[in-house]
Amino acid sequence: MVTLNSEEKKFYDAFWELKLKSGTHPPSIISVFDMMGGNSKTFVDACFLSNPYATSLFLEDFNKEIIEGGKLREYIEAYPPQNIEVAEHLTSVINVPVNNIFIGNGAIEIIQAVIHNFIKGKIVVNIPTFSSYYEYMKNKEDVIYYQLPKERNYSLNIDKYIAYIKEVRPDSIVIVNPNNPNGDYISLENITLILKELSFLTNIIIDESFIHFAYEDADFSMINTYNLLKQYPNLIVIKSLAKDFGIAGLRVGYAIMSEDKVSSLLATGYQWNIGGFANYFYRLYSRNDFSHAYDIVRKKYIMNTLMFINELSRIPEIKVYPSKANFALIELIDGSLSKEIMVKLLYTYGVYVRDCSDKIGLKGEFLRIASRTFEENMIILDALKDIFKNG
Ligand SMILES: *Cc1c(COP(=O)(O)O)cnc(C)c1O
């Protein structure tokens, strides 16, 4: 069991005080950096879940075309186009008619829009999961928590779930696929089965913010559920682009939903809330050269992540949960406390991970660790091994 030294203890108090102010999400690395006062030589952000290779790819074009191209002033001074025009750029890349695309200022805005406009009764939320799906419900009594079983590594038992929903008959359900924080992936076949069996529901929300990291074949081909909307108009697919493209600061995300839902949202707002740089991203994304280059870094990162998770699972003091996302949920099984290990990793090793003690539905001591570049993953692995060796 690992314990803290006196300096780490001092930092522990300061960190958890900062965390109190940031609600159910971890403090941003910018505030954490301020607090550390340059203590650490290295800094690896394995708390935020993003592909760092994709960030670099985006920055290459951004630097060349916006900064060196002398367009920065134009992007800042002028209004960006309306969301509906932005959707025009996306339609060809994702192969969805423009009338079925709803652009949001990050997926978070879409989650709010969907929950506040389309949920007319009870919603079943599987836990543990991304907290906004229950937090944004105005009437908390309308949230039905469906506990994912720990003995199945918090994975969804499809048959049991379908039977449960048929019995409870809520208004809506939400499935995060792959799930955050454990990375459990539901196959396209099972998603189709859920849609088929539960077509009586008003809304079936599927959050695919991590789907670019999942795969069903050896080629890591991209998985696509959008075609299912034609058959199942109660489907709403929500997709953040922050994680797969590594551009959370730009606030980018979209949803695929029926035409009438898109137009009803646009009729009451959500017309003009995309920033100029987000607009630049969508234009870039629609270009073949960029999507081709993106696919290469996407696959490279999946390979890295596979190796990383494999190495993690060789550390005897932790249990690594099976994941098809770009992170691993790990359980401390040597009696160590997740808050303490999190602080030690951050303060002494400069590695920022997500402590999961505030996640409802998890029972035990859990950390969620994102995969980073190959070199950064090595730093994370060495830090963990060192901690368990030296206590
Ligand atoms: C991060 C995350 C979001 C929010 O994404 P933004 O585009 O940054 O608002 C939504 N859903 C899940 C499951 C996430 O992990």
Side-chain angles (χ1 to χ4, degrees):
M1 185 185 140
V2 176
T3 53
L4 301 184
N5 65 33
S6 64
E7 270 193 50
E8 289 165 344
K9 275 192 187 125
K10 240 189 270 160
F11 182 77
Y12 181 97
D13 295 334
F15 181 86
W16 293 106
E17 198 170 311
L18 177 71
K19 159 74 183 143
L20 275 182
K21 292 187 211 135
S22 63
T24 47
H25 294 272
S28 88
I29 73 158
I30 298 169
S31 13
V32 171
F33 245 150
D34 282 351
M35 202 181 69
M36 299 195 17
N39 173 67
S40 185
K41 304 157 283 305
T42 55
F43 190 82
V44 178
D45 184 1
C47 180
F48 175 55
L49 310 165
S50 80
N51 179 353
Y53 298 116
T55 314
S56 304
L57 181 71
F58 172 80
L59 280 174
E60 263 174 50
D61 285 309
F62 184 82
N63 278 329
K64 206 161 51 203
E65 291 169 15
I66 306 292
I67 310 283
E68 291 156 26
K71 293 210 172 124
L72 190 56
R73 184 180 176 106
E74 182 187 311
Y75 268 81
I76 288 173
E77 198 166 38
Y79 272 107
Q82 297 205 12
N83 293 11
I84 191 98
E85 289 176 64
V86 176
E88 296 279 357
H89 297 303
L90 200 55
T91 182
S92 61
V93 202
I94 61 172
N95 235 323
V96 173
V98 71
N99 297 341
N100 293 116
I101 302 176
F102 178 69
I103 301 281
N105 192 19
I108 278 290
E109 184 183 56
I110 302 167
I111 297 172
Q112 288 166 47
V114 165
I115 286 184
H116 296 159
N117 289 279
F118 302 134
I119 311 292
K120 300 295 179 211
K122 300 215 184 287
I123 183 169
V124 172
V125 181
N126 308 337
I127 52 168
T129 200
F130 190 64
S131 60
S132 304
Y133 285 103
Y134 45 85
E135 282 169 1
Y136 292 173
M137 285 289 287
K138 285 181 182 153
N139 189 355
K140 297 290 181 281
E141 275 111 66
D142 283 339
V143 180
I144 302 173
Y145 295 102
Y146 182 79
Q147 176 68 55
L148 295 165
K150 184 171 184 184
E151 65 279 9
R152 281 180 56 107
N153 295 327
Y154 297 110
S155 71
L156 191 68
N157 180 330
I158 306 296
D159 295 336
K160 269 196 179 162
Y161 178 71
I162 290 174
Y164 173 81
I165 300 296
K166 282 182 173 169
E167 188 193 313
V168 173
R169 298 189 83 85
D171 177 75
S172 303
I173 60 171
V174 57
I175 291 173
V176 178
N177 191 36
N179 194 24
N180 178 3
N182 58 331
D184 177 51
Y185 172 69
I186 301 167
S187 68
L188 189 54
E189 192 186 345
N190 278 331
I191 288 287
T192 312
L193 182 67
I194 289 171
L195 288 165
K196 185 166 156 254
E197 292 288 325
L198 303 178
S199 57
F200 62 90
L201 293 168
T202 313
N203 304 291
I204 297 182
I205 303 167
I206 302 184
D207 183 320
E208 295 192 340
S209 296
F210 298 96
I211 201 84
H212 285 194
F213 308 123
Y215 48 89
E216 294 196 359
D217 62 19
D219 221 20
F220 304 146
S221 312
M222 201 94 94
I223 294 148
N224 194 332
T225 48
Y226 303 150
N227 288 332
L228 295 165
L229 180 67
K230 284 188 215 110
Q231 225 173 325
Y232 305 103
N234 60 346
L235 173 64
I236 300 175
V237 181
I238 297 181
K239 170 110 192 69
S240 171
L241 297 164
K243 321 288 168 61
D244 34 23
F245 288 91
I247 49 174
L250 298 191
R251 312 308 298 126
V252 277
Y254 62 88
I256 303 304
M257 53 177 97
S258 65
E259 266 185 60
D260 55 314
K261 287 197 194 83
V262 174
S263 46
S264 95
L265 289 175
L266 293 179
T268 55
Y270 305 109
Q271 288 174 347
W272 216 329
N273 30 3
I274 302 309
F277 298 136
N279 176 48
Y280 171 74
F281 167 77
Y282 284 109
R283 291 177 55 163
L284 196 58
Y285 190 19
S286 71
R287 275 171 22 194
N288 283 336
D289 57 338
F290 181 83
S291 358
H292 183 73
Y294 168 67
D295 212 47
I296 293 170
V297 296
R298 182 180 70 86
K299 289 178 179 174
K300 172 180 173 177
Y301 180 59
I302 294 177
M303 287 287 286
N304 261 0
T305 304
L306 272 168
M307 279 194 294
F308 178 56
I309 293 179
N310 191 38
E311 284 299 312
L312 277 174
S313 55
R314 292 163 59 164
I315 301 175
E317 290 85 357
I318 61 178
K319 171 181 167 155
V320 181
Y321 282 67
S323 169
K324 274 197 177 172
N326 62 332
F327 52 83
L329 180 70
I330 67 166
E331 183 175 7
L332 306 169
I333 50 174
D334 70 331
S336 299
L337 300 175
S338 64
K339 282 184 168 179
E340 292 192 351
I341 301 284
M342 187 251 123
V343 160
K344 200 186 238 332
L345 274 170
L346 178 58
Y347 187 77
T348 304
Y349 297 86
V351 173
Y352 188 30
V353 301
R354 173 73 151 94
D355 159 63
C356 293
S357 42
D358 63 345
K359 280 257 173 209
I360 62 167
L362 277 180
K363 248 179 104 91
E365 295 295 321
F366 288 95
L367 296 171
R368 189 194 64 199
I369 306 182
S371 166
R372 298 287 306 168
T373 64
F374 180 81
E375 294 74 18
E376 287 176 312
N377 286 348
M378 288 301 154
I379 295 174
I380 300 169
L381 287 164
D382 287 345
L384 277 170
K385 287 177 193 162
D386 202 54
I387 282 179
F388 290 117
K389 195 171 78 208
N390 299 318

